[in-house]
Amino acid sequence: MPNPHSDLVASALETVIALGLLFDKIRAGNGPIWTAYAILAKEGISPEAAQTLRAAVHGAAIDHLAGAVDVGYDHALRDARIYGEVPRLEAPDLFKPADLVKQQVALQLGIAEDIIELGASEDEVFGGENRAGVLDPLPIISSVAFWATRLAVAGYVLSMAATVGEEEFVRQAVAVIDNKTTETCLNVHGQIVGQDEDFTLTGTPQYASEMHAPPFHNGCRTSVAMIAKKYVDPEVTAGMRDDAIEQEKAPFVSSREGMAKYHVYGNKVRE
């Protein structure tokens, strides 16, 4: 078969773009998480209202994280076709992360109730025009986005391991190249590591200097591609690194323009 490295990188970039679209849904001002907090701010805190908030956010988290797993599955299906293999999809656990998000909401509510007893103002609890309150949806949204990236990558890697195995494969970090790409993800773009190795991160922002898988920072859209060792093409990786360096000097017009370039590296342009 022709060397599929560039096709696999482009497939990972499709996942990165899909994650960006999912983030837009998670963060939407008219989405279920923002709406649930807005209703609580309007109605005030009561046992019933607190239960409604927990249930609404938990349900939204499950829906968004299920969408993230689907993104990972779609990635695995594309790559199974590239390798000419019958896909075997393996599901990561999305319910434990959703429960952790629910616990985070419960913690906010507990703190809010405590400070109300101490005489806190409404602005301290719900926030004002220029400041966040204790009951702030943004940390919850960030948590859901974190788990969305983690589960999309996990769904892909688990499924690919079941489909093609892991022993003869390496993982390559693939970042979207646009004007939102962080220094950390520009620097890690194209880095190749073994299945049991960590990616080395430089720049900002980052959760840690070494991490096994994305997300590497808050709002991270980076994914990975599983490349068979025999197909690793240094020219494709060099092209990815060149793109990251160019981005620091002159941003791409769009991430889809970047996706087409990966196929140029492999002498195959996909429509």
Side-chain angles (χ1 to χ4, degrees):
M1 65 182 293
N3 192 317
H5 191 158
S6 61
D7 284 347
L8 293 163
V9 172
S11 175
L13 185 56
E14 289 187 41
T15 290
V16 170
I17 293 170
L19 278 173
L21 295 174
L22 180 59
F23 283 2
D24 289 343
K25 292 181 180 179
I26 294 170
R27 296 166 175 159
N30 61 350
I33 297 178
W34 276 105
T35 300
Y37 275 84
I39 291 172
L40 183 70
K42 181 178 180 180
E43 296 182 354
I45 297 179
S46 67
E48 295 77 14
Q51 175 58 31
T52 299
L53 177 67
R54 288 193 296 268
V57 173
H58 188 241
I62 290 174
D63 288 344
H64 289 314
L65 298 183
V69 172
D70 286 343
V71 168
Y73 283 168
D74 289 343
H75 189 177
L77 289 170
R78 289 193 301 270
D79 285 12
R81 287 195 295 268
I82 291 171
Y83 281 117
E85 299 286 348
V86 177
R88 294 181 58 189
L89 301 181
E90 294 288 334
D93 181 4
L94 66 85
F95 293 102
K96 183 175 181 179
D99 287 344
L100 291 174
V101 171
K102 185 178 180 180
Q103 291 173 24
Q104 190 176 354
V105 175
L107 179 61
Q108 282 188 339
L109 287 164
I111 295 172
E113 290 168 356
D114 286 344
I115 66 172
I116 287 172
E117 288 185 6
L118 296 173
S121 68
E122 187 172 297
D123 279 358
E124 289 176 282
V125 177
F126 296 108
E129 186 175 346
N130 297 312
R131 63 185 300 275
V134 170
L135 290 173
D136 182 4
L138 287 178
I140 307 302
I141 287 169
S142 293
S143 292
V144 175
F146 170 92
W147 287 112
T149 299
R150 181 59 56 86
L151 289 172
V153 173
Y156 165 70
V157 171
L158 289 172
S159 297
M160 288 302 292
T163 301
V164 298
E166 294 181 288
E167 186 174 344
E168 298 302 319
F169 286 78
V170 293
R171 295 175 301 131
Q172 184 165 39
V174 180
V176 66
I177 304 297
D178 61 20
N179 59 9
K180 297 179 182 178
T181 310
T182 63
E183 180 185 23
T184 296
C185 288
L186 286 174
N187 290 346
V188 79
H189 183 57
Q191 188 178 135
I192 294 176
V193 298
Q195 293 295 335
D196 297 324
E197 296 176 337
D198 291 340
F199 291 100
T200 298
L201 305 180
T202 59
T204 57
Q206 58 175 250
Y207 291 133
S209 59
E210 293 186 351
M211 294 188 66
H212 189 70
F216 298 133
H217 58 81
N218 188 29
C220 181
R221 299 167 291 169
T222 293
S223 187
V224 300
M226 284 184 63
I227 314 293
K229 294 177 183 177
K230 63 183 178 180
Y231 292 131
V232 172
D233 185 343
E235 290 188 11
V236 173
T237 299
M240 295 170 71
R241 291 304 313 141
D242 288 344
D243 282 348
I245 293 169
E246 287 177 17
Q247 171 65 15
E248 293 181 316
K249 300 176 182 178
F252 278 144
V253 173
S254 73
S255 52
R256 290 196 177 276
E257 177 183 322
M259 183 165 65
K261 291 186 68 172
Y262 295 124
H263 291 277
V264 174
Y265 303 150
N267 298 315
K268 176 184 177 184
V269 178
R270 184 166 69 185
E271 296 298 331

